[in-house]
């Protein structure tokens, strides 16, 4: 059963548990390179993957399709305080992640292609989402790019990152910082600031706050963003996900938000509702209901601004 929780992750570049360098330093044998360990033997390596198949129906946009949303293969390993992670999506033939980490003793350095530091919903791995699609805030600020990340913490967790920007002519960077903390009693929270600038007049910045409360009976998550500038510097999801309902775009000087509540129903069943306000007249408000049973998931979405609704039925199996 999928669950949605605001988790305090110091370096969840893709949701894989690679922030802990102790596992790599405890290996009995050093490997010369990631390639040689893949070819010569598999000590210190782990492989996983999953397939995510969707049926999407949106009568307003005349969409009724079966499709492969994700077909991913992940490999991780390391030695002597160093680690490596590679994730490839066979759907779309896209290299999603390829980065190296180093344990610095209380801190972790990440270098390569990975998710840019963001808030909880943007950093959550696609495989672990309760809903079939991200929240609009999560979708808008999830990006993968080449860059550097430094993270650390124990209870109070932090991460900072610098990544390539728009990749147009001229110098440009995206700089982000995130901190989160478990306050106890089921309450957790986090704050994220991200900014992108270049010499081509394409700029953007946002402050995002996450709050959550979790108990055995239910979980509630709220995310709020204060948008400053947004001239196309944030390109949105790069995972190739098909969408039954177009994800909202954000205008400068707006304050979109989302509130999600999930409830376990017993066994492998759970249900969730999500309300979103994009703070613009085009996308307006959006209501979603999701039901999960084991590996199956169904999501219904209604967008008032676009006056459309859609259904996604998904089946996910991993190894």
């Amino acid at each position: 059963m999928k669950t949605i929780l605001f988790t305090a992750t110091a370096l969840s570049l893709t949701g894989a548990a690679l922030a802990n360098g102790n596992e790599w330093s405890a290996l009995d044998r050093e490997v010369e390179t990631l390639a040689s360990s893949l070819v010569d033997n598999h000590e210190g390596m782990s492989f996983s993957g999953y397939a995510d198949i969707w049926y999407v129906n949106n009568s307003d946009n005349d969409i009724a399709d079966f499709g492969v949303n994700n077909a991913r293969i992940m490999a991780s390993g390391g030695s002597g305080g160093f680690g490596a992670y590679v994730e490839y999506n066979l759907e779309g033939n896209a290299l999603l992640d390829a980065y190296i980490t180093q344990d610095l003793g209380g801190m972790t350095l990440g270098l390569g292609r990975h998710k840019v530091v963001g808030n909880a919903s943007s950093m959550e791995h696609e495989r672990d989402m309760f809903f079939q699609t991200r929240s609009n805030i999560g979708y808008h600020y999830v990006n993968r790019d080449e860059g550097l990340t430094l993270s650390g913490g124990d209870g109070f967790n932090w991460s900072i990152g610098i990544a390539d920007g728009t990749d147009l002519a001229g110098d440009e960077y995206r700089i982000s910082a995130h901190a989160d903390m478990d306050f106890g009693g089921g309450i957790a929270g986090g704050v994220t600031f991200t900014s992108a600038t270049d010499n081509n007049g394409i700029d953007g910045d946002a402050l995002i706050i996450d709050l959550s409360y979790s108990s055995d009976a239910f979980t509630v998550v709220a995310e709020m963003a204060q948008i400053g500038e947004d001239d196309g510097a944030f390109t949105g999801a790069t995972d190739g996900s098909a969408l039954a309902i177009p994800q909202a775009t954000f205008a400068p000087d707006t304050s979109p938000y989302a509130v999600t509540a999930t409830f376990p129903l017993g066994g492998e069943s759970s249900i969730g509702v999500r309300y979103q306000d994009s703070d613009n007249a085009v996308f307006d408000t959006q209501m979603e209901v999701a039901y999960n049973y084991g590996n199956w998931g169904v999501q219904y979405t209604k967008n008032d601004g676009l006056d459309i609704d859609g259904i996604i039925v998904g089946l996910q199996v991993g190894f």
Side-chain angles (χ1 to χ4, degrees), residues 4 6 119-122 131 133-141 207-213 219-227 247-248 250 254-261 273-279 284-288:
I4 183 167
F6 179 81
N119 74 315
S121 60
S122 66
F131 286 79
T133 58
R134 297 185 188 277
S135 69
N136 289 326
I137 293 175
Y139 178 87
H140 193 68
Y141 292 104
L207 179 69
I208 308 171
I209 296 174
D210 295 294
L211 293 171
S212 72
Y213 172 77
T219 297
V220 178
V221 179
E223 51 185 327
M224 300 146 282
Q226 179 58 51
I227 312 297
Q247 295 282 349
F250 296 140
T254 57
S255 303
Y257 67 88
V259 179
T260 302
V273 293
R274 182 167 65 192
Y275 177 82
Q276 304 189 75
D277 190 328
S278 63
D279 197 19
D284 199 15
T285 60
Q286 186 166 301
M287 176 64 75
E288 292 152 300

Side-chain angles (χ1 to χ4, degrees), residues 296-307:
W296 289 91
V298 180
Q299 176 179 322
Y300 171 78
T301 302
K302 170 68 175 178
N303 185 285
D304 290 333
L306 299 175
D307 194 25

Side-chain angles (χ1 to χ4, degrees), residues 7-285:
T7 55
T9 51
L11 181 64
S12 56
L13 297 179
T14 64
L18 293 182
N20 185 357
N22 294 329
E23 294 182 6
W24 299 318
S25 60
L27 296 174
D28 294 331
R29 185 186 59 82
E30 291 190 1
V31 291
E32 294 182 357
T33 62
L34 174 61
S36 65
S37 65
L38 283 168
V39 174
D40 298 334
N41 61 66
H42 293 261
E43 289 188 32
M45 294 298 303
S46 66
F47 296 88
S48 61
Y50 72 97
D52 184 13
I53 312 300
W54 275 7
Y55 169 73
V56 177
N57 187 290
N58 183 328
S59 58
D60 300 283
N61 287 344
D62 195 24
I63 296 174
D65 294 311
F66 291 93
V68 178
N69 184 46
N70 286 291
R72 303 197 186 189
I73 297 176
M74 294 88 84
S76 63
S79 174
F82 289 89
Y85 180 86
V86 177
E87 182 168 345
Y88 193 86
N89 195 350
L90 300 174
E91 167 59 26
N93 295 319
L95 176 64
L96 300 180
D97 301 294
Y99 60 85
I100 294 173
T101 62
Q102 182 179 5
D103 181 8
L104 300 179
M107 297 186 297
T108 301
L109 173 70
L111 184 63
R113 178 175 177 80
H114 47 64
K115 280 186 178 177
V116 178
V117 171
N119 74 315
S121 60
S122 66
M123 296 299 290
E124 187 175 22
H125 196 284
E126 293 80 2
R127 174 187 53 197
D128 302 323
M129 298 191 305
F130 187 95
F131 286 79
Q132 299 294 317
T133 58
R134 297 185 188 277
S135 69
N136 289 326
I137 293 175
Y139 178 87
H140 193 68
Y141 292 104
V142 58
N143 293 100
R144 283 178 161 93
D145 214 332
E146 286 73 25
L148 178 149
T149 300
L150 188 67
S151 66
D154 182 12
F156 175 79
N157 305 293
W158 59 269
S159 56
I160 57 175
I162 181 170
D164 290 339
T166 60
D167 291 331
L168 298 176
D171 296 329
E172 75 282 335
Y173 299 100
R174 177 172 171 179
I175 300 174
S176 302
H178 171 82
D180 63 65
M181 184 173 182
D182 186 344
F183 297 102
I187 300 173
V191 59
T192 305
F193 177 77
T194 183
S195 175
T197 59
D198 70 5
N199 293 332
N200 299 280
I202 303 177
D203 303 316
D205 60 81
L207 179 69
I208 308 171
I209 296 174
D210 295 294
L211 293 171
S212 72
Y213 172 77
S214 180
S215 69
D216 293 337
F218 64 91
T219 297
V220 178
V221 179
E223 51 185 327
M224 300 146 282
Q226 179 58 51
I227 312 297
E229 295 183 282
D230 196 336
D231 302 322
F234 304 111
T235 57
T238 56
D239 57 11
S241 297
L243 298 172
I245 298 294
Q247 295 282 349
T249 56
F250 296 140
D253 300 317
T254 57
S255 303
Y257 67 88
V259 179
T260 302
T262 61
F263 307 86
L265 301 178
E268 296 184 90
S269 298
S270 56
I271 192 170
V273 293
R274 182 167 65 192
Y275 177 82
Q276 304 189 75
D277 190 328
S278 63
D279 197 19
N280 70 63
V282 176
F283 291 92
D284 199 15
T285 60

